[in-house]
Amino acid sequence: MKQSTTLPVRALPEAEAYSGKGTGWKRRFHVMAKPTGSRCNIDCSYCFYLHKSQLLKQERNRGMSDETLERFIRQYIEGQDGEQVVFSWQGGEPTLMGLDFFHKVVRYQNKYQKPGQRIENDLQTNGILINDRWAAFLKQHRFLVGLSIDGPRELHDRYRLTRSGGPTFDRVMAGVDALKKHQVPFNALVTVNRTNARFPLEVYRFLTQELGATYIQFNPCVEPVTFDHTAPQFWRDDSIPVTGSRRARPGDLDSIVTDWSVDPEDWGKFLIATFEEWVNHDLGRVQVNLFETAVAQTLGMPSQICTSAEFCGKGLAIEQNGDIFSCDHYVYPEYQLGNIHDNSLARMAISERQQAFGFGKRDTLPQYCRQCPHLKLCWGECPKNRLVRSPQGETGLNYLCPGIRAFFDYASPILAGIATLLKRQTTGEMQ
């Protein structure tokens, strides 16, 4: 990935709209929009984004301007040829922009929408500001909501705190009540950290039985101690430990990760316990991002999420001033592609540099990964987590590798069985 930063941001031929001559293509890419930048109304201990205002020298308390918003929406729609364009609004906390901002979002989308094109929106929120007015708007305009919640009260309030250090659980649940009242669909996004990883069934059963979530995203919390100033892959080689060593786990005084990062072994145990619960009680009723994509990949289908795909690079990020970065987790000066006020979004997204960034996910894998029996289910997970050395000393191994391998060692036979049942059902339906 680091090598990509040395290449020019030169548009590939596929960045241009199809001329109607020769072999055609469809331009497709995704952008996570950060209209508030890193600004948020709570102060999660593990947040990897709050420091961005200092790192990127952003003006405090300044959200995305109307000019930048309209330019982004126009370029994003014009730059894609598919029937569907998905806008993802994240942060920081995007609801801090206020409802008037999102009314403008809908208005600009309607203005630039192409004939036959479907526009969809999703909003990732901590839920604190969601009330009846917000919920009514989200329902009316068919927004899908991603709700950040880390489990039952005592686990959620471990890290997700107000700026004064107070709990947020009750305020989040008040937002959930508003969403349910207005029948707004929502997903639960769980940051699996050092604490809640040790209580997998408590987390899972709260989400499915008390919260009522039917779609769950588990995101492992992995942050290097230098995350606030050092870009991924720009770590010092002489500081990279071997997987399984004391420095490759949280809690050590000389650890390479923060104390709140999930322990690799705990990550594996968390996945095994929740997967077993899901298979035995919720298969076909509850969708869990990591498990659903593992089933799809076992069936020979492409990954449904970027972290387990062979390549990445199709998920960019835009900051409130129009700066474009290669990925949401690569919002560092080294990985900036440009600004939409100076260059077109499609030409940056489908460029020589961004293509190299995406291919780097596969091409920089150590031999240890290439020889792994689970390679095609994992593909080295997210490159931002490739913090350690393999047992043979190669750099570029994923910090979570011990847990990921343990999970697939356990789950692969079950995944194969699920895949077989699905094939039989499909065959029976076709007969």
Side-chain angles (χ1 to χ4, degrees):
M1 320 297 278
K2 182 179 179 180
Q3 182 63 26
S4 71
T5 64
T6 66
L7 299 176
V9 185
R10 184 164 51 220
L12 298 170
E14 295 88 343
E16 306 302 330
Y18 178 50
S19 65
K21 299 178 181 178
T23 303
W25 54 74
K26 283 191 175 181
R27 297 172 298 171
R28 288 194 180 98
F29 57 92
H30 181 247
V31 178
M32 289 187 181
K34 311 279 190 172
T36 64
S38 61
R39 187 161 56 102
C40 191
N41 52 353
I42 62 175
D43 190 16
C44 300
S45 306
Y46 56 54
C47 184
F48 72 95
Y49 224 80
L50 288 179
H51 72 286
K52 297 298 184 184
S53 60
Q54 292 82 26
L55 180 70
L56 303 177
K57 298 180 173 57
Q58 297 173 342
E59 293 185 44
R60 284 187 174 273
N61 301 322
R62 181 178 179 181
M64 184 176 284
S65 68
D66 290 356
E67 179 188 3
T68 300
L69 175 65
E70 182 171 10
R71 185 180 291 259
F72 164 56
I73 290 175
R74 176 177 59 80
Q75 290 190 13
Y76 193 38
I77 292 174
E78 289 179 352
Q80 304 200 60
D81 303 315
E83 296 176 354
Q84 177 191 53
V85 179
V86 179
F87 286 83
S88 296
W89 305 97
Q90 302 200 6
E93 174 52 43
T95 58
L96 287 174
M97 293 300 296
L99 268 175
D100 287 346
F101 175 85
F102 283 95
H103 280 292
K104 293 173 187 174
V105 165
V106 174
R107 187 162 67 247
Y108 291 143
Q109 289 173 344
N110 291 336
K111 179 179 178 179
Y112 294 107
Q113 184 176 10
K114 299 175 185 177
Q117 194 176 58
R118 187 170 73 256
I119 304 293
E120 295 186 4
N121 289 280
D122 58 67
L123 178 80
Q124 187 64 44
T125 177
N126 57 36
I128 299 293
L129 295 180
I130 300 298
N131 55 23
D132 281 337
R133 289 184 64 240
W134 267 102
F137 168 85
L138 296 169
K139 177 64 175 179
Q140 178 186 355
H141 297 287
R142 302 186 304 279
F143 274 61
L144 173 64
V145 173
L147 182 77
S148 296
I149 188 165
D150 287 352
R153 182 191 306 275
E154 60 275 15
L155 295 176
H156 175 88
D157 285 339
R158 175 67 178 85
Y159 295 111
R160 301 190 66 82
L161 302 171
T162 65
R163 294 195 172 277
S164 60
T168 62
F169 181 81
D170 287 337
R171 296 172 68 182
V172 173
M173 293 305 291
V176 170
D177 289 342
L179 294 174
K180 289 182 176 179
K181 176 181 175 182
H182 292 269
Q183 299 181 319
V184 179
F186 68 91
N187 302 335
L189 187 150
V190 180
T191 299
V192 182
N193 52 66
R194 191 179 177 195
T195 300
N196 64 0
R198 299 170 184 170
F199 301 91
L201 294 183
E202 289 85 347
V203 170
Y204 183 85
R205 288 170 181 169
F206 165 79
L207 297 173
T208 56
Q209 298 174 16
E210 295 184 47
L211 189 67
T214 55
Y215 187 90
I216 301 168
Q217 299 178 62
F218 289 135
N219 287 351
C221 181
V222 180
E223 298 301 338
V225 292
T226 59
F227 77 95
D228 61 347
H229 61 273
T230 302
Q233 278 72 58
F234 280 81
W235 309 295
R236 286 173 40 195
D237 283 353
D238 61 0
S239 70
I240 300 176
V242 174
T243 183
S245 64
R246 61 175 182 80
R247 293 189 58 239
R249 304 181 72 169
D252 188 88
L253 288 176
D254 199 26
S255 175
I256 57 162
V257 296
T258 58
D259 282 346
W260 55 80
S261 294
V262 64
D263 184 275
E265 291 186 8
D266 287 344
W267 176 238
K269 293 174 183 176
F270 181 93
L271 291 178
I272 290 170
T274 53
F275 178 76
E276 185 176 83
E277 183 81 357
W278 176 73
V279 168
N280 289 333
H281 301 287
D282 294 319
L283 183 63
R285 186 184 73 85
V286 175
Q287 293 180 288
V288 180
N289 65 334
L290 297 176
F291 305 155
E292 295 285 339
T293 196
V295 172
Q297 288 171 277
T298 302
L299 284 164
M301 300 165 63
S303 172
Q304 299 171 354
I305 54 178
C306 60
T307 54
S308 59
E310 183 175 2
F311 307 106
C312 61
K314 288 297 183 74
L316 297 84
I318 182 171
E319 279 290 321
Q320 85 274 34
N321 64 348
D323 285 344
I324 301 296
F325 294 86
S326 287
C327 171
D328 176 37
H329 289 284
Y330 282 75
V331 177
Y332 292 83
E334 294 87 343
Y335 291 97
Q336 184 178 344
L337 296 169
N339 187 288
I340 60 170
H341 292 280
D342 304 318
N343 197 0
S344 84
L345 184 54
R347 293 177 66 84
M348 289 183 279
I350 309 174
S351 65
E352 183 178 347
R353 180 185 293 188
Q354 188 65 4
Q355 182 184 66
F357 176 86
F359 285 160
K361 184 178 193 293
R362 179 199 63 185
D363 296 344
T364 58
L365 284 172
Q367 197 63 27
Y368 186 72
C369 290
R370 298 179 189 279
Q371 295 174 346
C372 177
H374 310 305
L375 172 64
K376 293 186 178 180
L377 293 175
C378 170
W379 290 110
E381 211 254 351
C382 183
K384 80 166 183 77
N385 296 333
R386 296 180 183 178
L387 305 170
V388 298
R389 296 179 184 272
S390 72
Q392 293 75 35
E394 289 181 278
T395 59
L397 185 67
N398 198 291
Y399 163 86
L400 296 169
C401 179
I404 294 172
R405 287 178 73 105
F407 169 65
F408 282 123
D409 283 345
Y410 166 82
S412 289
I414 303 172
L415 290 168
I418 295 172
T420 299
L421 288 174
L422 289 173
K423 286 178 181 177
R424 287 176 181 171
Q425 290 176 3
T426 302
T427 302
E429 290 172 1
M430 294 175 62
Q431 290 177 347

